[in-house]
Amino acid sequence: MSKPILLLNCGSSSIKYQVIDAETEEVAATGLIQRIGEEVGTIDHTHGEKHSAEREFPDHRVALQVLVRTFDEYGPSLSDVVAVGHRCVHGGERFRETTVIDDEVIAALRELIPLAPLHNPPGIAGIEAARAALPDVPHVAVFDTAFFSTLPPAAYTYAIDAAVAKQYGIRKYGFHGTSHAYVSAKVAEIVGKPASELNIIVAHLGNGASISAIKGGVAVDTSMGLTPLAGLVMGTRSGDVDPGLHAYLAKQSGMSLDEVDSFLNKKSGLIGLCGVNDFRDLLPQVDAGEPAAVLTLDVYVHRLVSYIGSYLAILGRVDVLAFTAGVGENSDPVRARTLKALEPLGFILDEQANLVRSREPRAISTPDSPVTVLVVPTNEELAMARETAAAIGA
Ligand code: AMP
């Protein structure tokens, strides 16, 4: 029996979607609506063939109506869909697991907006529009933060006034949880051992990047924090900086705190250091010996190595390090430099295996490496489909 699930990932001006059959795990359709709120937007819908059109999408409600009409015209039929799964970036302390959405859940999501002012409002707009467009199926919220609800207090507590932290919900939450959960479960499958017997580090290196320490199947630390700004160096985000930087820069430059926040989120990381945010543009510059590009890669790898070393210390023993997401899956030079630095700690790279390009999971460590190093392509949509199906008992 087929159980198609519509998955929606709503950004402020875009909606990514897929239909995945929870039974067969086949992808029946994929699509992307872009430039919501602008004069001319686009929809690209693939079901067998790709169909593209230009439309005006004044808001998410209209975009979802067009999405439903597009499915009516080009298929597959949405009348078979058993549930809609929504990617929700921030679940705060309230949502520790995937949750079937009702009015009360939406009200609670609204209360969480201050924690994720960029991400949660479009997510809520998408949920409301989708519930209006598809009122007869259950809608389910899948949270980026949920996988990290198991972090121990020592890992999630910031050393600030405890009452202030409690009042404002200030703690480490962690993000990209769907990917970390999917990849760590896949690692267990690949090495043929139960997750409960494995200590795993997952490095999700995409345009956004985060790393997690997973002990016996349970997340015990991660690099993103209260917001997705903390941790590793990212495409446009700084990752960790001295918290005093905000006040210092605001005072010295006259920037407002909002401007400093935007500076650290949008004009920092790779783009801040060398003007490009994509490793495909950066690496040729490194090969050409461009000093800013060389320093950028050095900073990126230094941060990554220091997190892996720290998680090795926290876990005590690491069985598997898994690289995933755009950079982790595709950039062999980043993996090679990282593992070279980690060689004394038991991460031994197989240089030939590292050069293999594939969309399949693969080992890139030598057979006698104390730590197995894998490249595991992530599949957040499939993980969301599984979560959504489980939440509705399908
Ligand atoms: P993601 O956010 O997971 O889609 O990752 C996007 C990032 O992956 C891009 O900004 C690039 O830095 C990186 N990336 C994607 N493809 C490649 C590739 N073939 N080689 C190197 N880096 C890549």
Side-chain angles (χ1 to χ4, degrees):
M1 206 176 78
S2 79
K3 287 178 185 156
I5 295 193
L6 172 64
L7 300 156
L8 296 176
N9 184 351
C10 295
S12 55
S13 65
S14 70
I15 300 176
K16 271 194 234 160
Y17 62 88
Q18 283 198 9
V19 174
I20 297 184
D21 193 313
E23 199 65 35
T24 62
E25 306 205 328
E26 273 167 26
V27 179
T30 62
L32 177 62
I33 295 175
Q34 293 184 93
R35 296 203 285 278
I36 296 170
E38 292 182 30
E39 252 170 44
V40 184
T42 56
I43 175 163
D44 296 301
H45 179 83
T46 304
H47 171 55
E49 278 169 42
K50 181 171 174 180
H51 303 276
S52 299
E54 289 193 343
R55 292 264 193 297
E56 191 189 348
F57 305 113
D59 53 30
H60 286 75
R61 194 178 52 83
V62 174
L64 257 301
Q65 287 167 351
V66 172
L67 181 146
V68 171
R69 283 204 297 275
T70 304
F71 274 92
D72 284 345
E73 196 168 339
Y74 299 111
S77 169
L78 283 183
S79 59
D80 298 332
V81 156
V82 295
V84 183
H86 296 265
R87 180 175 187 187
C88 292
V89 169
H90 214 311
E93 292 195 292
R94 160 77 199 267
F95 296 106
R96 300 172 69 87
E97 54 193 37
T98 300
T99 304
V100 178
I101 297 168
D102 57 19
D103 292 343
E104 197 259 325
V105 167
I106 294 190
L109 285 173
R110 281 193 203 293
E111 283 173 20
L112 291 173
I113 287 177
L115 279 174
L118 297 178
H119 294 103
N120 275 14
I124 296 169
I127 290 171
E128 294 196 306
R131 284 179 92 205
L134 298 163
D136 299 327
V137 288
H139 290 250
V140 171
V142 184
F143 294 96
D144 261 23
T145 45
F147 183 61
F148 298 113
S149 65
T150 55
L151 296 191
Y156 72 64
T157 304
Y158 292 126
I160 60 171
D161 183 290
V164 172
K166 190 166 183 337
Q167 183 178 359
Y168 296 106
I170 299 172
R171 51 162 283 180
K172 178 185 281 194
Y173 289 100
F175 299 87
H176 293 145
T178 315
S179 177
H180 288 271
Y182 173 84
V183 170
S184 54
K186 191 85 190 166
V187 164
E189 203 181 300
I190 294 166
V191 300
K193 281 192 181 165
S196 58
E197 289 176 17
L198 290 169
N199 289 351
I200 302 171
I201 296 176
V202 176
H204 175 110
L205 310 177
N207 197 30
S210 61
I211 183 162
S212 63
I214 302 164
K215 195 179 187 97
V218 174
V220 294
D221 209 349
T222 191
S223 58
M224 283 179 167
L226 172 71
T227 73
L229 178 58
L232 300 173
V233 177
M234 307 181 219
T236 65
R237 285 174 249 169
S238 61
D240 294 339
V241 292
D242 181 336
L245 182 152
H246 293 72
Y248 177 80
L249 184 58
K251 272 192 211 127
Q252 295 298 314
S253 70
M255 283 186 197
S256 67
L257 272 185
D258 277 350
E259 285 166 340
V260 174
D261 195 46
S262 167
F263 168 82
L264 291 171
N265 272 290
K266 297 186 178 153
K267 295 184 188 153
S268 300
L270 304 184
I271 210 158
L273 286 167
C274 70
V276 296
N277 72 335
D278 192 310
F279 269 93
R280 285 165 289 197
D281 301 323
L282 175 71
L283 292 171
Q285 294 184 30
V286 173
D287 290 341
E290 187 61 48
V294 171
L295 175 65
T296 302
L297 183 58
D298 286 348
V299 173
Y300 186 96
V301 170
H302 178 89
R303 183 84 51 86
L304 182 55
V305 166
S306 65
Y307 264 97
I308 295 171
S310 136
Y311 288 175
L312 173 60
I314 284 169
L315 291 169
R317 178 201 87 228
V318 175
D319 301 300
V320 180
L321 165 66
F323 286 97
T324 194
V327 182
E329 291 168 30
N330 296 300
S331 183
D332 54 89
V334 168
R335 297 191 303 252
R337 283 167 191 252
T338 305
L339 292 170
K340 187 153 183 38
L342 291 165
E343 200 175 86
L345 296 178
F347 301 73
I348 318 292
L349 178 71
D350 178 332
E351 286 178 20
Q352 288 310 312
N354 187 40
L355 297 176
V356 172
R357 300 193 66 83
S358 161
R359 303 190 72 164
E360 294 302 314
R362 56 203 182 273
I364 58 165
S365 50
T366 59
D368 57 355
S369 174
V371 179
T372 300
V373 185
L374 302 176
V375 175
V376 180
T378 192
N379 192 339
E380 290 173 275
E381 289 78 14
L382 177 56
M384 281 176 63
R386 288 177 181 165
E387 285 278 322
T388 303
I392 60 159

